Amino acid sequence: MKLCMIGTGYVGLVSGACFSDLGNDVICVDRDLKKVNDLKKGIIPIYEPGLDELVLKNHTNKRLTFSTNLNDAVLKSDIIFICVGTPTKKNGNSADLSQIYNVAKEIRSSIFKFKIIITKSTVPVTTGDEIEKIFSKKLPKKLFSIVSNPEFLREGEAIRDFTYPDRVIIGTKDKKSNKILKNLYSPLISKGAKYINTSRRAAELIKYASNAFLATKITFINELANLCEKIDVNIEDISIGMGLDKRIGGRFLRAGPAYGGSCFPKDTKAIVTTADKLKINLSVIKSVIKSNENRSSLLLKRIFHILKGKVKNKKICFLGVTFKANTDDMRDSSSLSLIPSLVKKGAKINYYDPTGEKDDFKKLKNVSFSNNINVAIKNSDLIVIHTEWNDFKSINFKKKVENKKFIIFDMRNIYSPAKMQELKIKYFGVGC
Ligand SMILES: NC(=O)c1ccc[n+]([C@@H]2O[C@H](COP(=O)([O-])OP(=O)(O)OC[C@H]3O[C@@H](n4cnc5c(N)ncnc54)[C@H](O)[C@@H]3O)[C@@H](O)[C@H]2O)c1
């Protein structure tokens, strides 16, 4: 099939590369000229395990191409996926849909035969209705079908998640579109993905409801971790004990820093705002947002407590600064509030991240980057394990850290407190 992905970010590039690998002809379009030129040269703009090989393979065999020419790409394609950003509005908590509507208005003029227009971006319920209105103003109904097909991939596991999804959700009442899309996804369905055809509005809401629920699980276990710290119970035992109940499930039930990233913070805010407009109070999700916003200041207090209030001139090393492991995405990472707050209190921060130095910290005084774990931890008073990269899981701290009184604060509980005690390392985890 001939596909076009509008927006070549985490979602557009990964799904475009995966669709081309399944044998489709895919044009990935972006308005960012540098990104497109880099991709043409084989330079991948994001860190995502396995993505470079997949892009290179399919670009070389000409099934995957890159362009800035939106109208030409639409003209050449039968199925158009809109994968642009839907961030939180600058003034308020609702989703900023300007990128979506701009695309919808722009592509109308390139449609002369039937095309399926799909929102893969996460969009509030009824956005598809609005896109349909935009198209109907200029085009006869028989030339287009507006479908919702939310994406559930996770950064860091994106290729696996796209290729082996738990479910493919197609929101449309149009039988023709449904048949075509079932065919497009048939290689994934044959590997076990459940194919769900539902209404467009339901598909849009399924995505928000899923993200809000996952954010709730994380927040729930984070709050229980606070309790565990007071009663000498290890939160890991609680996660395992609860997670083995199949009704609950163990995933997204690991205590740690505040949830971040490009999805949960903005999507939880957007769903409560949508509901508020309809005079429905999603009070559970509202308290999740509040609790998560408070999480970083709680962890900051914990750092002060660990350092017995003496933060000034302390050398603190952060291992990992992105919002989670296996991604270079800094959007809403808790390090963005933790590091500046510690600097304000006089700490000297040195950090290492496998995905390199971050622009976000370049202008901050007393924050430096080391491009090697051993150098980063060498002179630390406190080592904060902020993300769960494999590179951080078997460090010989005793051998590598020169300051023998160093302390570890493991925000991901990747080390065993008992083992650390055996090694006589002063160690703190989350919820233990
Ligand atoms: N990142 C994730 O893990 C993830 C997972 C599932 C769903 N989503 C959703 O998918 C959507 C995209 O997320 P993302 O993380 O890929 O965003 P992103 O910011 O990485 O990429 C969006 C891209 O769209 C491009 N763009 C914007 N307007 C354009 C236009 N008019 N023409 C061409 N290109 C244009 C931007 O230049 C950018 O490269 C969001 O709605 C997000 O909530 C994201």
Side-chain angles (χ1 to χ4, degrees):
M1 293 187 204
K2 294 196 182 317
L3 317 181
C4 158
M5 319 304 294
I6 306 178
T8 307
Y10 287 87
V11 167
L13 182 57
V14 170
S15 41
C18 291
F19 274 134
S20 67
D21 206 48
L22 294 174
N24 302 288
D25 288 326
V26 182
I27 309 173
C28 280
V29 186
D30 207 284
R31 62 181 176 187
D32 183 337
L33 181 64
K34 184 180 180 310
K35 192 182 261 189
V36 169
N37 283 341
D38 280 353
L39 280 162
K40 284 179 180 168
K41 286 185 238 153
I43 302 167
I44 309 296
I46 53 171
Y47 176 87
E48 184 58 48
L51 186 59
D52 40 3
E53 291 99 319
L54 201 67
V55 169
L56 188 69
K57 175 181 154 201
N58 290 289
H59 186 50
T60 308
N61 66 27
K62 298 195 168 54
R63 278 205 299 258
L64 179 65
T65 54
F66 304 101
S67 171
T68 49
N69 191 334
L70 183 54
N71 289 317
D72 179 61
V74 170
L75 210 57
K76 288 178 179 156
S77 308
D78 302 315
I79 306 175
I80 324 289
F81 286 91
I82 303 178
C83 311
V84 296
T86 50
T88 304
K89 270 189 181 157
K90 289 218 164 64
N91 53 346
N93 282 333
S94 57
D96 176 354
L97 298 173
S98 57
Q99 295 181 41
I100 298 276
Y101 294 144
N102 286 343
V103 165
K105 283 176 196 151
E106 210 180 325
I107 62 178
R108 286 181 302 194
S109 54
S110 308
I111 295 178
F112 304 102
K113 67 179 183 81
F114 178 75
K115 294 190 196 284
I116 303 176
I117 317 293
I118 300 176
T119 44
K120 213 172 221 335
S121 298
T122 304
V123 292
V125 60
T126 70
T127 303
D129 303 3
E130 293 304 315
I131 298 175
E132 187 155 322
K133 277 186 209 156
I134 292 173
F135 272 72
S136 301
K137 278 186 191 154
K138 300 265 171 172
L139 290 172
K141 278 220 155 62
K142 62 174 189 211
L143 286 190
F144 65 90
S145 166
I146 310 292
V147 176
S148 166
N149 169 216
E151 182 51 59
F152 296 96
L153 61 79
R154 286 163 301 169
E155 288 172 22
E157 317 252 1
I159 293 172
R160 203 207 69 89
D161 283 353
F162 185 90
T163 318
Y164 300 96
D166 295 330
R167 76 292 206 200
V168 172
I169 306 281
I170 298 294
T172 183
K173 294 265 170 67
D174 176 40
K175 288 202 176 93
K176 182 175 162 187
S177 304
N178 185 39
K179 199 172 161 202
I180 295 171
L181 292 174
K182 196 165 186 182
N183 193 18
L184 173 68
Y185 278 107
S186 59
L188 310 189
I189 299 166
S190 64
K191 280 192 231 151
K194 290 261 187 308
Y195 182 88
I196 309 289
N197 177 214
T198 181
S199 72
R200 192 168 61 206
R201 287 184 179 188
E204 289 168 339
L205 189 55
I206 286 168
K207 173 66 191 180
Y208 276 100
S210 304
N211 273 3
F213 192 77
L214 293 172
T216 304
K217 272 186 105 173
I218 295 173
T219 308
F220 180 89
I221 205 73
N222 278 345
E223 287 199 348
L224 277 182
N226 299 338
L227 175 63
C228 286
E229 281 164 19
K230 298 279 180 207
I231 52 175
D232 196 21
V233 168
N234 191 334
I235 190 68
E236 294 299 308
D237 295 342
I238 308 303
S239 295
I240 293 167
M242 281 178 70
L244 285 170
D245 184 331
K246 287 195 179 67
R247 293 168 303 177
I248 298 171
R251 292 164 79 190
F252 286 75
L253 209 61
R254 298 280 315 281
Y259 62 72
S262 65
C263 294
F264 290 175
K266 79 172 174 66
D267 294 346
T268 44
K269 284 182 204 155
I271 191 176
V272 299
T273 311
T274 302
D276 277 346
K277 280 184 198 149
L278 298 166
K279 303 214 169 359
I280 298 297
N281 183 16
L282 296 181
S283 63
V284 172
I285 308 175
K286 280 181 185 167
S287 62
V288 165
I289 295 169
K290 213 167 156 198
S291 172
N292 193 62
E293 283 173 352
N294 198 27
R295 180 92 189 130
S296 291
S297 65
L298 278 182
L299 291 183
L300 203 62
K301 274 190 200 146
R302 187 100 194 276
I303 293 178
F304 290 158
H305 179 74
I306 289 169
L307 291 172
K308 301 198 167 73
K310 292 175 189 141
V311 177
K312 201 161 187 240
N313 290 325
K314 282 282 181 323
K315 293 184 185 123
I316 303 180
C317 169
F318 268 69
L319 291 181
V321 289
T322 50
F323 84 94
K324 64 171 184 180
N326 299 320
T327 181
D328 57 350
D329 201 341
M330 286 295 289
R331 288 178 281 188
D332 273 317
S333 170
S334 58
S335 71
L336 292 171
S337 65
L338 291 173
I339 289 180
S341 304
L342 288 165
V343 168
K344 248 190 203 158
K345 295 282 173 194
K348 295 193 162 60
I349 309 287
N350 185 21
Y351 73 93
Y352 167 75
D353 192 284
T355 60
E357 190 171 9
K358 303 296 165 198
D359 289 342
D360 309 77
F361 301 128
K362 277 186 181 156
K363 282 192 189 127
L364 277 186
K365 230 178 128 188
N366 289 329
V367 179
S368 57
F369 170 74
S370 297
N371 60 6
N372 165 318
I373 299 178
N374 295 342
V375 175
I377 61 175
K378 193 172 163 191
N379 297 309
S380 310
D381 296 307
L382 173 69
I383 297 160
V384 175
I385 303 175
H386 180 259
T387 57
E388 207 176 346
W389 287 83
N390 281 341
D391 315 38
F392 305 155
K393 288 183 179 166
S394 51
I395 301 172
N396 188 340
F397 291 101
K398 277 246 146 163
K399 209 167 154 192
K400 307 281 181 191
V401 188
E402 281 181 1
N403 167 11
K404 293 302 163 214
K405 285 190 183 150
F406 73 94
I407 306 171
I408 295 175
F409 182 22
D410 180 358
M411 288 190 182
R412 301 287 175 169
N413 292 346
I414 59 183
Y415 286 90
S416 142
K419 197 82 185 260
M420 286 290 161
Q421 204 172 8
E422 253 174 51
L423 291 168
K424 297 195 170 51
I425 291 177
K426 206 163 179 200
Y427 170 90
F428 297 85
V430 158
C432 59

